[in-house]
Structures are given as structure tokens and as C-alpha cells.
């Protein structure tokens, strides 16, 4: 049985654009499809904004994406059903939906950031925002379908194909505009606000230009007033976005913020205060995680660097360490001929080179001619490098994000071992055996699974608490020793002997290795981390 297309109808009816001449109908139809295109782009940007914000604030990208997308898609189905009774008022309903979507979607990032900073209700707020945005996005298609049929009657399958073609192609625009334009140029808060304004104007232009006759005078005034109010809210929020963000960020930190920047890869924050001992305490945070305190960072960096340089050290590789503090310790050795530092974020390197707080701490390490900086992804770089290093120092942020988990995998450590010269030593910062015991021993097991002999050790860093490292070599069992050109502040032979001893309740828990396809370390961090 074949379907028969409904004939095109042009008979007039009050307030119906089917009465328009064919040329006007063609323009109206084109305008509607362009609106679908723009609204689809805006809807996808709202989704990506919520996923990205969650990955920045919470760190678990997979879970944030799953919650946001699954809740939003389910809500879209409910929104499509809820829009069915509104089809006879399609023009007014569509304008109202777009104004609501512009307001809620545009303000969603700002509202969720506030919920995270002051209310500790982030997940509940995320589900609520995803649900409301999903319902509104889902209501668009049935209303647009009704408006499309009012312009020119056509077979249902053909109309659906036209709408969804514009919808999916528009989603491509949103998906590309978010990471390559909105996020780097405007940031998350302002990017969402701009999209909200575009969303509102796209819907209103369609209704007021092509379906004006469907609206009573009162409705036109009400929608116009609502549009002015929404525009005022979004523009006002845009103008005060920096002040809001600074206030919200400060609420998350115990000390005054003296520098903050959202780079392409992470949020970088410097705070400064006076320690109880009267010293200036400068602290670096990446995505909210403390990286060092200037009061005691020497304890961490001496324990990280010097045991790895007790043997051969002519050529040294540093993976991470963009603040330059590990670099400072390496450059104390006059027989170190070359240091290669691989850091993903060029903004972190720029800050470490130029900020007087950091250059004082790292002693202008990046100005040393022995240092070569490579700004790239360390995982990809290790796949191509063919150089042997006498020492490899892995100083990376904690593995609490999906993007970092690959740098704590068997595959990564195998590639790092591949550039480690015979007789060389590798060291990995491995988190806290006290606060994250299973994570620490998982990292130890993962380094061992790369074919290396390992020696875990730990030291006290007051800002962090008990902190652990893993020393690794190719041939023989590693041994803890130091051979610095001058005495160290926190390490000597007796303290090193104690560093390799773990109390009974903090010894190896027998964790299995973490791999690319099964990142065990992420699950452990999620369950244990402070």
C-alpha cells in the first residue's frame, strides 16, 4: 500500500500563512528551516556547556556526560509529548518556548557554578537544568512541524526529513562553535549567555516576521515585553560575568585569589596569604586541586627529583611540572647537560616564565639554556620520540579526570620506560598513601606492569599530608639515595631510609594495573580522594 501525499493547499483562513503567495511561502519556509538550524546549534551548545562545566568542577567527564545527555534526551521526549496540546497555538507557544530556553539555557552555566560554589548542590542542579532544557528543546520540533505545515502542506515524511536535516546540520555548527569559538574567546559563562540571546532572537524573528497574523495584539505586546526582559537579564549577566566569576571562585578558595585564568585545558588559580609563620604563602591550583604551597613545596620537589638523579643524569626528561619547581631542583646539578620538559598547557608555561611569584620560586628555571620546553600532549609525544634519557620525572596532576587517566596507564608507563636509558631511573608522583591508599598502590602496580622494578616511598608535605612516589628502574631493584651538589632542606640518608617504610595499615593492597581500556585509577580516585 503506497502513501499518497496530501495536496498543497492555498485556501485562505484567518491568520494562516497558507494564504500567502507562493514566493512569500518559499521565503517563510526557508526562514523556518534557518530557525531550526540556529535553534539546534543553540541546544547542542547548552548540552556541551553543562558537560564541560561538570568536567571542570567535578573532574569525572564520563559521568558528567552520561548524566547530562541521558537526562536531557529523556526530557526531550517528554517535551515533545507535552507540546502536542499546544499545536493549535503553535506560533505563540514556540515564541514562549524560545524565550524560556534562552533564559534557562543562557543562565545555566552561571546558575550551576553558583550552586557549586555556595550551595553544594551541583548534581541536583545539573539534573534539574538538564531536565528543563531538554523539555524545552523537545517541544521545539512538534511546534515547528505545525508551523511548517501551515506554510505549505506536504507529506509528513518529507516535512520530518526537512526539519531533521536542518536540525542535525545545525547541531554540527553548535558542536564546532563551542570548543573553537565560544569557549576560548568568551569563556563558559559568557558563551552561554551569547547563545541565549541568539536563541531568543531566532525564535522571535520567525514568529514576528512570518506568523505575526497568528498572534493577537495582546500576545504581541506580552511577547515583546518578555523579549525585552530576557534580553536585559542576559545582557546584564554578560556585563557582570567577570565580577560574578571572581566572587564565585573566591568562595571556593580559603585565600585571596591573585591570579586566575581559564586556559584551553584547565583553570589556573594563584592565591596568596600569610602563613602562621609570617611567610607569604603562594598556592597554585589547577581545576581546583592544590598543586603546591610555597611554604613547603620544597619538601615535595626534593623528594620527587633528587632520588631519581642519584645515578646517571646527563639528559633528563620532565613530564608535567609546568610550574618549573621540579626544573629548579634538576638544574642544581652542574653535570645535567639537557632537560626536556613536556607540558600540555602553554598558558601554564607562560605564567611560570613571567609571573614574579612563580619566577621567584622556580628561580627563573625556564631561562636556563639547558632547558627545552615542548608544549604538547605527553602521551602522543612519547609515541614518536626516539631519544634515551638518563632520568624521567613524571610530575602530573592527580588522575581525577578522564583526560588525565591515560597518563596513569600501563601503556603510558611502557612508553616512558621505552625512553629510559639502561641504568636510568624514573620517578612518578603517585598521590597520598594515607588519603588515597588504593589509588597509590594502583599506580605502583601500573608502573610495575610496564616491566619496571619499583620502589614506593612517601614523605610528609604539610600542605598535602603524607605524599607518595614510585621509583622505577629497568635492571635492578631501585634504591633510595641522594647525591645533590649541596645539602637538601628535607632529605638525608636517614630520612630516606624511613621513607621506604609503610605502616601495616598502609601497605600494598594488591591493586591491579590501570590501562587505557580499563582505567581502574579513575574509579579508585572517585571513591577515595579527599
Amino acid at each position: 500500500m503506497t502513501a499518497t501525499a496530501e495536496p498543497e493547499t492555498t485556501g485562505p483562513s484567518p491568520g494562516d500563512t497558507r494564504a500567502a503567495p507562493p514566493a512569500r511561502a518559499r521565503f517563510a519556509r526557508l526562514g523556518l528551516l534557518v530557525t531550526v538550524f540556529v535553534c539546534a546549534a543553540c541546544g547542542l551548545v547548552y548540552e556541551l556547556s553543562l558537560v564541560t562545566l561538570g568536567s571542570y568542577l567535578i573532574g569525572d567527564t564520563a559521568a558528567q556526560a552520561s548524566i547530562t545527555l541521558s537526562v536531557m534526551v529523556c526530557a526531550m521526549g517528554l517535551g515533545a509529548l507535552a507540546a502536542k496540546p499546544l499545536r493549535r497555538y503553535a506560533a505563540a507557544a514556540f515564541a514562549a518556548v524560545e524565550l524560556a530556553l534562552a533564559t534557562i539555557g543562557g543562565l545555566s552555566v552561571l546558575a550551576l557554578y553558583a550552586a557549586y560554589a555556595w550551595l553544594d548542590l551541583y548534581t541536583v542542579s545539573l539534573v534539574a537544568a538538564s531536565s528543563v532544557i531538554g523539555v524545552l528543546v523537545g517541544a521545539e520540533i512538534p511546534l515547528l512541524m505545525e508551523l511548517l505545515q501551515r506554510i505549505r502542506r506536504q507529506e509528513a515524511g518529507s516535512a520530518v526529513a526537512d526539519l531533521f536535516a536542518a536540525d542535525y546540520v545545525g547541531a554540527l555548527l553548535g558542536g564546532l562553535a563551542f570548543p573553537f569559538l565560544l569557549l576560548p574567546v568568551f569563556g563558559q559563562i559568557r558563551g552561554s549567555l551569547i547563545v541565549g540571546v541568539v536563541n531568543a532572537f531566532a525564535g522571535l524573528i520567525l514568529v514576528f516576521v512570518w506568523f505575526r497574523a497568528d498572534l493577537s495584539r495582546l500576545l504581541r505586546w506580552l511577547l515583546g515585553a518578555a523579549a525585552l526582559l530576557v534580553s536585559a537579564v542576559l545582557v546584564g549577566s554578560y556585563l557582570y560575568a567577570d565580577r560574578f566569576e571572581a566572587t564565585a571562585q573566591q568562595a571556593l578558595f580559603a585565600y585571596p585569589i591573585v591570579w586566575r585564568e581559564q586556559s584551553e585545558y584547565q583553570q589556573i588559580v594563584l592565591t596568596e596569604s600569610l602563613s602562621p609563620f609570617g611567610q607569604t604563602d603562594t598556592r597554585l591550583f589547577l581545576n581546583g586541586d592544590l598543586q603546591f604551597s610555597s611554604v613547603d613545596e620544597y619538601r615535595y620537589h626534593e623528594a620527587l627529583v633528587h632520588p631519581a638523579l642519584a645515578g646517571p643524569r646527563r639528559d633528563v626528561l620532565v613530564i608535567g611540572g609546568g610550574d618549573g619547581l621540579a626544573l629548579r631542583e634538576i638544574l642544581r646539578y652542574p653535570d645535567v647537560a639537557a632537560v626536556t620538559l613536556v607540558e600540555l598547557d602553554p598558558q601554564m608555561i607562560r605564567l611560570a616564565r613571567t609571573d614574579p611569584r612563580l619566577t621567584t620560586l622556580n628561580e627563573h628555571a625556564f631561562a636556563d639554556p639547558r632547558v627545552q620546553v615542548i608544549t604538547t600532549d605527553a602521551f602522543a609525544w612519547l609515541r614518536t620520540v626516539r631519544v634515551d634519557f638518563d632520568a624521567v620525572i613524571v610530575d602530573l596532576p592527580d588522575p581525577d579526570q578522564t583526560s588525565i587517566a591515560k597518563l596513569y596507564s600501563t601503556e603510558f608507563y611502557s612508553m616512558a620506560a621505552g625512553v629510559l636509558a639502561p641504568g636510568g631511573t624514573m620517578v612518578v608522583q603517585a598521590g597520598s598513601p594515607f588519603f588515597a591508599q588504593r589509588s597509590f598502590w594502583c599506580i605502583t602496580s601500573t608502573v610495575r606492569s610496564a616491566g619496571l622494578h619499583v620502589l614506593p616511598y612517601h614523605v610528609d608535605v604539610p600542605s598535602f599530608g603524607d605524599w607518595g612516589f614510585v621509583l622505577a628502574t629497568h635492571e635492578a631493584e631501585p634504591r633510595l639515595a641522594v647525591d645533590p651538589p649541596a645539602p637538601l632542606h628535607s632529605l638525608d640518608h636517614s630520612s630516606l631510609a624511613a621513607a621506604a617504610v609503610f605502616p601495616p595499615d598502609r601497605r600494598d593492597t594488591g591493586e591491579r594495573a590501570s590501562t587505557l581500556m580499563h582505567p581502574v585509577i579513575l574509579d579508585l580516585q572517585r571513591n577515595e580522594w579527599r
Side-chain angles (χ1 to χ4, degrees):
M1 186 174 182
T2 58
T4 303
E6 293 185 46
E8 294 187 8
T9 59
T10 57
S13 62
D16 196 333
T17 56
R18 283 178 291 169
R24 179 175 171 81
R26 284 196 296 270
F27 282 116
R29 191 169 181 278
L30 177 62
L32 187 143
L33 293 177
V34 169
T35 301
V36 174
F37 177 87
V38 173
C39 291
C42 294
L44 190 63
V45 169
Y46 299 143
E47 293 183 33
L48 295 175
S49 296
L50 298 185
V51 171
T52 304
L53 181 67
S55 68
Y56 283 168
L57 298 181
I58 307 301
D60 188 352
T61 306
Q64 295 305 306
S66 298
I67 292 171
T68 303
L69 298 180
S70 58
V71 169
M72 194 169 287
V73 170
C74 176
M76 287 168 63
L78 297 176
L81 289 174
K84 288 174 66 176
L86 303 176
R87 290 173 56 207
R88 63 180 297 190
Y89 315 105
F94 180 72
V97 164
E98 294 312 296
L99 287 173
L101 187 55
T103 305
I104 296 170
L107 295 173
S108 59
V109 171
L110 187 149
L112 285 175
Y113 198 7
Y116 178 81
W118 287 294
L119 302 177
D120 196 24
L121 291 173
Y122 179 80
T123 301
V124 173
S125 302
L126 174 65
V127 171
S130 300
S131 299
V132 175
I133 293 172
V135 166
L136 294 171
V137 170
E140 290 177 326
I141 292 297
L143 298 175
L144 286 166
M145 176 70 79
E146 177 66 23
L147 294 176
L148 184 65
Q149 294 288 53
R150 288 185 186 180
I151 295 171
R152 188 190 72 188
R153 287 288 179 185
Q154 63 185 114
E155 184 180 292
S158 176
V160 168
D162 290 341
L163 279 180
F164 277 93
D167 187 76
Y168 293 151
V169 175
L172 173 65
L173 174 66
L176 295 177
F178 178 74
F180 298 116
L181 175 63
L182 295 170
L183 194 58
V185 175
F186 299 103
Q188 280 200 274
I189 292 177
R190 282 184 164 163
S192 296
L193 292 169
I194 289 172
V195 170
V197 172
V198 172
N199 200 161
F201 275 92
L204 290 174
I205 288 172
L206 175 71
V207 171
F208 276 88
V209 172
W210 301 110
F211 296 94
R212 182 182 178 87
D214 289 11
L215 306 175
S216 67
R217 181 185 295 271
L218 177 61
L219 269 178
R220 289 199 294 267
W221 278 103
L222 288 175
L223 289 174
L228 289 176
L229 178 61
V230 169
S231 299
V233 170
L234 294 177
V235 171
S237 300
Y238 184 94
L239 295 176
Y240 283 90
D242 283 343
R243 185 178 299 180
F244 166 82
E245 188 174 358
T247 304
Q249 282 187 341
Q250 189 59 73
L252 299 173
F253 296 93
Y255 308 108
I257 294 173
V258 294
W259 176 269
R260 61 185 177 87
E261 180 177 8
Q262 180 64 58
S263 75
E264 183 181 354
Y265 302 102
Q266 59 197 344
Q267 182 192 74
I268 306 171
V269 171
L270 284 175
T271 67
E272 196 168 78
S273 62
L274 283 178
S275 76
F277 307 103
Q279 301 169 273
T280 299
D281 184 1
T282 302
R283 297 188 174 214
L284 171 68
F285 296 83
L286 299 180
N287 289 337
D289 293 332
L290 177 64
Q291 303 304 301
F292 71 77
S293 163
S294 61
V295 173
D296 57 19
E297 56 82 12
Y298 67 89
R299 289 177 171 268
Y300 172 90
H301 290 100
E302 287 185 353
L304 172 73
V305 170
H306 294 283
L309 299 189
R313 54 185 178 234
R314 178 178 173 81
D315 294 306
V316 180
L317 171 63
V318 181
I319 299 176
D323 51 37
L325 300 181
L327 203 55
R328 175 198 66 201
E329 297 300 320
I330 296 168
L331 296 173
R332 299 196 191 284
Y333 293 84
D335 53 340
V336 168
V339 185
T340 302
L341 186 142
V342 181
E343 164 67 44
L344 177 63
D345 193 348
Q347 295 300 92
M348 186 66 242
I349 297 294
R350 182 187 58 78
L351 186 65
R353 287 184 188 272
T354 59
D355 187 279
R357 291 168 286 259
L358 292 187
T359 55
T360 298
L361 288 171
N362 64 37
E363 299 177 4
H364 298 274
F366 288 100
D368 194 297
R370 293 176 288 175
V371 175
Q372 178 190 16
V373 177
I374 300 173
T375 51
T376 189
D377 176 68
F379 195 97
W381 183 79
L382 282 174
R383 296 181 67 181
T384 61
V385 70
R386 296 294 181 267
V387 179
D388 284 346
F389 295 93
D390 298 310
V392 176
I393 295 169
V394 183
D395 185 21
L396 294 166
D398 301 319
D400 57 0
Q401 298 186 41
T402 305
S403 59
I404 296 292
K406 68 179 183 180
L407 304 180
Y408 285 82
S409 65
T410 298
E411 293 85 347
F412 177 77
Y413 294 133
S414 296
M415 291 190 294
V419 300
L420 184 63
T425 303
M426 179 167 73
V427 65
V428 178
Q429 88 82 8
S432 172
F434 181 82
F435 293 109
Q437 180 185 9
R438 295 181 63 200
S439 299
F440 174 82
W441 292 109
C442 178
I443 294 172
T444 303
S445 174
T446 305
V447 176
R448 184 186 292 115
S449 71
L452 296 168
H453 300 281
V454 300
L455 174 63
Y457 64 101
H458 61 120
V459 298
D460 181 57
V461 183
S463 296
F464 294 133
D466 191 50
W467 208 258
F469 308 87
V470 178
L471 206 64
T473 56
H474 278 301
E475 290 88 3
E477 294 296 327
R479 65 184 186 87
L480 274 177
V482 291
D483 181 28
L488 303 176
H489 293 89
S490 62
L491 287 182
D492 55 28
H493 293 290
S494 60
S495 63
L496 282 175
V501 178
F502 290 82
D505 62 342
R506 290 291 174 250
R507 290 177 185 167
D508 196 342
T509 54
E511 304 300 326
R512 58 193 179 87
S514 187
T515 67
L516 287 177
M517 292 296 99
H518 195 106
V520 180
I521 186 65
L522 270 181
D523 295 330
L524 296 177
Q525 290 283 87
R526 192 178 301 125
N527 292 331
E528 292 189 320
W529 205 241
R530 61 188 188 282

